[in-house]
Amino acid sequence: MTVFLVIIVLALLAVTGWQISKIFQLSKRHDADTSQVANDKDNKLHGILMLAFVIFLYVITIFCFWEYGRFYLPESASEHGGEYDTLMFISIALIMFVQIITQGLLHYFAYKYKGKKTQKALFYADNDKLEFIWTIIPVIVLAGLIIYGLFTWSDIMNINEDEDPMIVELYAYQFDWRARYSGEDNTLGKANVRFIEGVNQLGVDESDSYGEDDKIVTELHLPVGKPVLFKFRSQDVLHSAYFPFFRAQMNVVPGMITQFGFTPTITSEEMRESEYMVDKVKSVNEERNERNKELLANGEPTLDSYEFDYFLLCNKICGQAHYNMQMKIIVESEEDFNAWLEEQPTFGSTMEDQNSDSEDSEATESEEVPSEQENGTEEPQESDAVAVVDNEQN
């Protein structure tokens, strides 16, 4: 009903505007120019508007860079991130340079060469020199940018196996992540979704000896300064592993294994103490405190204080709870990482515990069944004896 009323109101407003425009037409002087052809006055007005618009556009652009530049991510927390940021800023600088020149010239010429009755346009059939300039310059610039980008991409994607990177699998499913460390042998055991059963949530092959020392966790820990090679698997739909602070992203595709690697360079604690993050945390908590006043007044639960942590996110819309698909990442010293990893149970020990629990439960059930059968056989015998005694008494 509300939508219907809104439509009626909008229709009435449109009719009102149309009627007002007719009134303006009737109120014009009898000697007013009613021709639909633009005259010198119209051309001058639109020329000024074109010039004013490009000035307004540049003012807004400068304001946005100045005001919202603080929303840029801080310095990269990975070794390759500096190259990535350099490539991005070079691309932005070239785009802005070309945009400012071409857009400025377009609007300036629209103003300078606005139509006049005494002015005749000069017609060019072609101009080889101009065509050469506006063709060869973009070719050179784009070729340089593409070649530089390819070299940068190769440096990022080609993992140096001689550095002996730590192998970690990241497993995606709606709507969470699991990480599997390759253990002391630094080799992941085989896995397949067909093996998923019970506590074996990642489908690791129990018959593969390489998988016995694998460690499956819900929180990703990384040693600073240590190269890490990630292997990505998806259980259900297309996901995307996104590490914004490490400038890394890779699609996680069902039925295949993708990979990406980087070397963390800044620990979680160091990032928390950086000037950028201190200001950000302060700003977020100030907003939360203001919001908490409203929540308290309404008798609702308040928001917790914000503390920065690295997170692994999903950057593909993978379902209704996509927004909640994230995993905490802790970058720490190698000593702290080794101590944490030592506390995590291996896949082999987890499966042994499950199998022993299954055996215990089966043994308990097998003990209970015979006792019930014995009780069942004794009851009829007892009732027969009672029946015999009753007959003798009769």
Side-chain angles (χ1 to χ4, degrees):
M1 187 64 182
T2 303
V3 176
F4 181 68
L5 291 175
V6 170
I7 293 173
I8 292 176
V9 171
L10 292 176
L12 292 174
L13 287 174
V15 172
T16 303
W18 177 55
Q19 293 295 332
I20 291 174
S21 67
K22 291 177 66 176
I23 293 173
F24 279 123
Q25 291 290 336
L26 293 172
S27 62
K28 286 185 177 180
R29 294 173 52 183
H30 67 281
D31 58 344
D33 185 7
T34 58
S35 173
Q36 298 298 317
V37 179
N39 53 33
D40 288 352
K41 183 179 179 182
D42 296 329
N43 291 333
K44 183 178 180 180
L45 173 63
H46 286 92
I48 294 173
L49 289 176
M50 287 288 285
L51 199 60
F53 178 79
V54 75
I55 295 173
F56 170 77
L57 182 66
Y58 289 158
V59 170
I60 288 295
T61 302
I62 294 170
F63 172 78
C64 288
F65 273 104
W66 178 269
E67 180 67 19
Y68 301 111
R70 57 192 173 91
F71 291 110
Y72 276 119
L73 288 171
E75 63 174 312
S76 173
S78 66
E79 197 172 84
H80 76 271
E83 300 177 50
Y84 179 94
D85 288 344
T86 300
L87 178 60
M88 185 186 73
F89 285 122
I90 288 176
S91 300
I92 291 176
L94 285 172
I95 291 170
M96 292 303 301
F97 176 76
V98 174
Q99 191 270 345
I100 288 172
I101 292 178
T102 55
Q103 200 72 22
L105 289 175
L106 173 67
H107 288 256
Y108 171 72
F109 287 149
Y111 169 76
K112 183 177 180 180
Y113 299 106
K114 54 187 177 291
K116 294 180 181 178
K117 288 183 178 181
T118 58
Q119 182 173 308
K120 186 177 180 180
L122 180 62
F123 176 74
Y124 273 96
D126 57 53
N127 189 313
D128 295 338
K129 184 181 290 185
L130 284 177
E131 290 183 6
F132 177 80
I133 291 173
W134 68 51
T135 300
I136 196 65
I137 291 178
V139 167
I140 294 173
V141 173
L142 288 175
L145 189 62
I146 291 171
I147 292 171
Y148 175 60
L150 285 175
F151 277 107
T152 304
W153 175 257
S154 298
D155 290 340
I156 293 173
M157 294 301 298
N158 294 335
I159 307 301
N160 188 358
E161 299 290 345
D162 296 336
E163 296 180 356
D164 190 27
M166 182 175 66
I167 309 297
V168 179
E169 179 186 74
L170 289 175
Y171 185 79
Y173 62 95
Q174 293 174 314
F175 296 95
D176 207 348
W177 298 91
R178 289 291 182 273
R180 177 162 64 111
Y181 290 85
S182 51
E184 295 182 1
D185 56 11
N186 203 29
T187 303
L188 291 167
K190 296 179 181 178
N192 194 297
V193 292
R194 296 183 179 89
F195 299 140
I196 295 176
E197 184 180 4
V199 296
N200 189 4
Q201 296 180 344
L202 273 60
V204 181
D205 189 351
E206 294 185 60
S207 63
D208 186 1
S209 59
Y210 285 116
E212 291 184 1
D213 63 345
D214 291 353
K215 298 185 177 184
I216 300 171
V217 296
T218 57
E219 187 175 83
L220 184 61
H221 285 239
L222 299 175
V224 66
K226 174 74 174 176
V228 185
L229 178 59
F230 294 100
K231 305 282 187 176
F232 301 97
R233 282 197 305 135
S234 172
Q235 176 177 303
D236 34 50
V237 300
L238 181 66
H239 299 278
S240 184
Y242 180 42
F243 308 79
F245 287 90
F246 303 95
R247 311 300 193 267
Q249 179 171 306
M250 178 56 65
N251 284 342
V252 188
V253 186
M256 67 181 296
I257 297 175
T258 54
Q259 68 177 34
F260 193 97
F262 61 80
T263 303
T265 56
I266 301 177
T267 66
S268 299
E269 192 60 36
E270 288 172 344
M271 183 60 78
R272 289 191 192 103
E273 294 174 354
S274 66
E275 182 179 354
Y276 171 93
M277 201 53 63
V278 169
D279 292 341
K280 179 181 178 180
V281 170
K282 180 181 178 182
S283 174
V284 172
N285 283 327
E286 286 176 355
E287 293 182 6
R288 290 195 175 190
N289 290 335
E290 291 298 321
R291 175 62 178 157
N292 284 339
K293 293 177 182 178
E294 299 178 10
L295 294 174
L296 283 172
N298 297 329
E300 299 177 10
T302 58
L303 302 172
D304 296 331
S305 295
Y306 170 70
E307 184 180 17
F308 169 78
D309 278 303
Y310 294 123
F311 275 95
L312 166 63
L313 308 172
C314 177
N315 210 22
K316 285 283 188 295
I317 300 177
C318 56
Q320 290 183 343
H322 153 76
Y323 68 94
N324 200 34
M325 189 171 171
Q326 53 186 300
M327 174 188 277
K328 184 178 178 180
I329 303 174
I330 297 177
V331 180
E332 55 197 351
S333 66
E334 191 164 359
E335 294 78 12
D336 292 340
F337 168 78
N338 292 332
W340 171 84
L341 190 61
E342 188 68 27
E343 298 174 353
Q344 309 308 313
T346 63
F347 173 75
S349 64
T350 302
M351 296 308 297
E352 285 179 5
D353 294 340
Q354 183 193 34
N355 294 333
S356 62
D357 291 342
S358 300
E359 291 174 0
D360 293 342
S361 62
E362 290 176 1
T364 304
E365 291 177 0
S366 62
E367 290 176 0
E368 292 176 353
V369 170
S371 63
E372 291 176 357
Q373 292 177 348
E374 291 174 2
N375 292 336
T377 55
E378 288 176 359
E379 288 177 1
Q381 292 176 357
E382 183 178 355
S383 60
D384 291 340
V386 173
V388 170
V389 171
D390 290 341
N391 290 331
E392 290 178 354
Q393 290 176 353
N394 293 332

